Amino acid sequence: MDLPSISGFIGSLLAISTPILLIASLELLVQRSGVINLGVEGAMLVGAFTAYVVTLYTSSPLLGLLSAIALGSLVSILFAIMAVYMRLDQIVVGVSISMVSIGLTSYLYRLIVGYGSPPKIQSTLIDALAPFLRSIPIAGDTLFQTPLTPISLALPIAFWLLLGRSLVGAIIKASGEDPSRACRLGVNVAMVRTILLALEGIASGAAGALLSIGYYGSFLENMTAGRGYLAVALVILSSWSPARLLPTVLIFSLIEVAQLRLQASGIIEIPYQLALSMPYIFTLAILAISSGGKKAPRSLGSSEYEC
Amino acid sequence: MPARSPRLVTGLLIVVLAPLLAISILSLFSGVNAVETIYWVFWGGFSPTQIPETMLRATPILITSFGLSLAYLARIWNIGSEGQILLGAIATAWIGLHLGGLGVIGVIVSTIFGGLCGALWASIPGLLRAYRGANEVFSTLMMNYLALYLASYLLQGPLRSPTSLFPETATLSRDLWVEPLIPGTRVNAFVLLSPALIAPATYILVARSTLGIKLRVIGEGAEKARYFGIDAGKAIVATMFLSGFLAGIAGSTEVLGIHHRALPSISQGYGYLAIPVAVIASLEPRLILPLSIYLGGVVNGVEVAQMNLSIPSGASYIIQGILLIASLPMAMRR
Amino acid sequence: MEAGSREEPLIVAKDIWKIYDGGYTALSGVDLEIYGGEIHVLLGENGAGKTTLLKILSGAIRPSRGSIFIRGERKIFRSPRDALKQGISMAYQGSSLVEGLTAGENISIVARAAGINGDELGKRVMKTMEDLGYQLDLRSRVSSLSPGEKQALEVSIAINAGRLAVLMDEPTALMSTASSQLLMKLLREHADNGKALVITSHKIREVAEIGDRYTILKRGTRVATVTRRSLDGGSVIDTLIKHMSPQGLETYSLDISGAIDPGEEILYVDNASIADDRGIEVLRNTSFRLRRGEILAIVSIDGRGVKEICEAIYGLRRLRSGKIYVKPGTRIRYIPSEVSRASIPEMPVAINISMRSIIGGRISLLDLEEIVSSANRIIEASRANVPSIWKPLKSLSGGNARRVIAWREAMDNPDLLIVEEPTANLDIASSQSIAMLIRSTASRGAGVLVVTSELEDPLRIGCKWLILEDGTLLDPRSSKRVGTIPGAL
């Protein structure tokens, strides 16, 4: 391969990895604090939808991104209220939020756009954010379509440092290892979890916006198609280690790029249903392989604790 | 002897009111008066002319929630019935196309085959939970999406009828049709038989049998199950198999009794609607029939309201999601 | 410094009630005054409410009623964080440090909540650990420490994090005798600096020397608070024991005339090692045998290993090494210490009584007649107070529920009966009748293994007993190790 096609390949690899990495990095912190949030699928979808609608009406992708972030974190805080404060089952709350999000975005989309083919937005997030990229020294706008990509690559590294050698990291780990004991040590476990979830909502909203107003320029029903669930599963696969998360996500993105290129080249005919179901298959396979891993935060998934 | 608790009363209230509340709010988005929407929902679901259609929809909910209520007693939170129904339906149609001319035997064989396919599909998350510790809520949801794509592939590819414009199988031979028993309606033997069989069966198994107690012990966790000499792993797989079997049968009845072929939209969310019914039925089994009919009527009515008031579709997903969160966590609470 | 009555108390707890969700009343209207500069010892049996009271003072649980005053000002603690901010710290029983984190991480989390410098606290904790005879590396994970080290660390952190008061629940239970003595000395130093120290302990002898004042709790109420000055030196222990159990210890029957000739061997534990959930060995390479008609009690003074040994013999827990031989077809029944482990508390009493036959049989309709008659049989024999057999088991008091389950197991014709903590949370009358049940079960030809943390249990039952200490069995008369050679005993 020549140089341009290599950088094109890496560019599309990073384009695919960015939204998943954004969500998975924050989901990793959230899980280390003891919460498994399947609502990211919904937060991402709501982000994608909000970004699209706002951009459509204001023609400002930046405003679209900001609203996606706002609503994404709102969805996440809703999750926190139900799963952290009301102590409802985390998995069920996450699944329900995602299901309602699929329904609600489809419904509102029909209400706003109708049944015709969706109007494309005028200028995408990538156009809007291009100026910022010039400030990034190495191969700025050839590899990175938006600043979200370098951010997404930096997050796992930052979180690796955070968890390894900071008080905040210790507090997060304590909340996930043993919330009762963390509470006895003076940690406000519910608050720690809620803050992390809110941050994850921001990341999910941004990731969703990237899909709709970044790459695609429009919205499709259920356009996240299991990527949020996959991000959750990839956290499990990387044994809750930020150092392993980065390569894990990149490998999965590589598989997807390879599959897309293979399909485009027409060498092998893959039923499109198989391609679409990949995130779900991977998620299920990871659940089968890695569930009950010894490295899991000890209280992961359970909101019940006493001080 | 289910404990009658305030939990049952609140649960029941939530399950009854949540869909109405959801549809009201959604109609407000569309600028439609909520009272008018509710009127159409009730008219569309429960006016005398609509009752047969409502019973038609209540049937798969009833059959599926029967299996789920047993799983929920054992605290196995299968939410994968939707996929199990869909694959049960496709399996029934596929084998039915090979059984033309066998009449009643063909009906029985293809019903059981549909049930078995649903059961096998449900066994996968059952095995994952029992031997890999994979959370069954998460895995059955993934299985639902996989079932959806698998069905889409089968109905557009290998099983597609060459003569049809739509992705669906060919029509079954006439002798496999379970025909309407009441003229002018689609009410068939399945619709009449299921309430008569399942309502008492649920009551007996949940409240009056040793099985109900065994399932509750399984639900208390592997350690307590072992104390009483039960192999929890096997029991979990068996329970998932059973609930998948009944969901598969629900799919079979849709094919044999109503559509006479398999199509992608064969389950109108029945697998999800059965969840709240089963949650309540595991607390009070006598409510399984009224609640199935109620939710069958509400789905029916929502559809009528959507058509009459030009509210966009999609409301049913929202209702399913809200019912899920309104009912399941309550059952999971100890 | 003496605890002066002239001063105003530092902490006052007034009319403290705690009723848990299940309806269990742990504290009913306890008052407590704690002065600066005193060592205040809380005494009482298991279930007297000592731990609950400490947890309320430390903010870990909220009282159902009652108030806490610090220097006369009313405070409400929503969490341990609030208490730490006020300068009140607590060392929990065993340890409550987060196992997956390092010692240093645990310390810095506490320091932040208490509003003190983390490095500073780290240094002071290391110093205290040294004083107690332990070397601490702040970078080592808590999970890698020994139980004794964990407890010492927990106590060291609490002592240094609490500016006003330090609450300690059984701080020496897992420590060596030497360290315990060092701790007592250290406590005096801290008290002399004006801190209030509140401590609970089972070991009366240990705290008899150290306390300024003693508060004795019984079943959630305060029986008495005595000042050390009011007791004359030699009789401290006697006075305390008298307060704790007015009947004294003589009432226990030591009648063992009912013992019959031992029959065939029913259980042979061969060179077995058993570990608890955290992987710590609670029984090491130990062998013992049990015959029909025989009762053997294993007494674990610190309570460790009681549950694990029972579970291993019943078959719920894997051995780390060695073998347990039980003749095929042996009917084993097991009375665990908690009723909930052998029942579904939400289900009716009658169903719980018939649970084994319901689960053992085929799927069928419930045989209500049979269920009612078994229920009546068991209830009559156990003399449990059951208002209605169709009420949930959890509606019974703890003692009555325990009776129902104990008699269910013992009257199910066992060949081998395992009894875990036979008298836990039972009053004297109930304890006596459980002892009778154990004797009659053995006299009907079953082998009975009792595993307990109560020294009085074997006396009450009147049976052969061994002490479990540090994973090995000792003969109480000779203090010699037994059962360490395979096939011996």
Side-chain angles (χ1 to χ4, degrees), chain A residues 38 82 86-87 89 91-92 96 102-104 107 111 115 229 272-273 277 280-281 283-284 288-289 291, chain B residues 26 29-30 128 132 134-135 137-138 141-143 145-146 149 152-153 156 311-313 318 324-325 332-333:
Chain A
L38 293 178
M82 291 193 278
M86 293 168 70
R87 302 190 175 188
D89 183 83
I91 304 262
V92 172
S96 310
I102 294 176
L104 202 59
Y107 179 88
L111 203 63
Y115 285 86
Y229 296 132
Y272 78 91
Q273 293 95 344
S277 58
Y280 302 104
I281 293 176
T283 302
L284 198 65
I289 298 164
S291 283
Chain B
L26 289 179
F29 281 141
S30 317
L128 292 181
R132 304 292 319 159
N135 179 289
V137 178
F138 197 176
L141 179 73
M142 295 299 105
M143 295 295 286
Y145 283 108
L146 291 184
Y149 287 119
S152 154
Y153 168 72
Q156 291 189 19
I311 304 170
S313 62
I318 301 173
L324 189 65
I325 195 161
M332 295 170 112
R333 267 274 159 82

Side-chain angles (χ1 to χ4, degrees), chain A residues 67-282:
Chain A
S67 350
I69 285 172
L71 282 218
S73 56
L74 193 71
V75 172
S76 232
I77 287 169
L78 196 67
F79 175 90
I81 290 171
M82 291 193 278
V84 177
Y85 288 97
M86 293 168 70
R87 302 190 175 188
L88 303 180
D89 183 83
Q90 294 172 1
I91 304 262
V92 172
V93 172
V95 164
S96 310
I97 282 188
S98 296
M99 277 181 66
V100 172
S101 299
I102 294 176
L104 202 59
T105 50
S106 315
Y107 179 88
L108 293 174
Y109 177 71
R110 292 283 166 235
L111 203 63
I112 293 166
V113 179
Y115 285 86
S117 72
K120 290 248 171 190
I121 51 170
Q122 295 303 313
S123 110
T124 67
L125 191 61
I126 292 171
D127 305 331
L129 290 175
F132 295 98
L133 285 171
R134 312 243 153 80
S135 57
I136 298 170
I138 318 157
D141 49 358
T142 57
L143 291 184
F144 304 152
Q145 289 180 307
T146 67
L148 291 175
T149 301
I151 291 174
S152 77
L153 294 171
L155 281 181
I157 300 163
F159 292 167
W160 178 68
L161 291 170
L162 181 83
L163 287 173
R165 51 195 70 184
S166 76
L167 176 60
V168 174
I171 288 172
I172 292 172
K173 286 186 287 183
S175 309
E177 281 297 320
D178 201 327
S180 308
R181 292 179 171 200
C183 172
R184 290 173 180 181
L185 296 181
V187 174
N188 187 341
V189 176
M191 184 59 77
V192 170
R193 292 177 170 177
T194 304
I195 290 172
L196 291 176
L197 282 167
L199 292 175
E200 187 181 24
I202 289 175
S204 313
L210 196 57
L211 289 190
S212 64
I213 61 171
Y215 303 151
Y216 192 72
S218 181
F219 180 80
L220 291 172
E221 282 182 41
N222 192 19
M223 78 182 302
T224 51
R227 282 186 185 80
Y229 296 132
L230 179 63
V232 173
L234 289 173
V235 170
I236 298 170
L237 185 65
S238 46
S239 306
W240 296 272
S241 143
R244 279 194 214 149
L245 184 67
L246 188 57
T248 309
V249 172
L250 288 178
I251 289 168
F252 270 79
S253 310
L254 193 70
I255 296 173
E256 183 152 3
V257 175
Q259 176 240 315
L260 285 174
R261 300 235 157 169
L262 219 58
Q263 210 172 16
S265 69
I267 302 170
I268 304 171
E269 192 122 346
I270 306 171
Y272 78 91
Q273 293 95 344
L274 181 62
L276 281 176
S277 58
M278 279 303 181
Y280 302 104
I281 293 176
F282 284 139

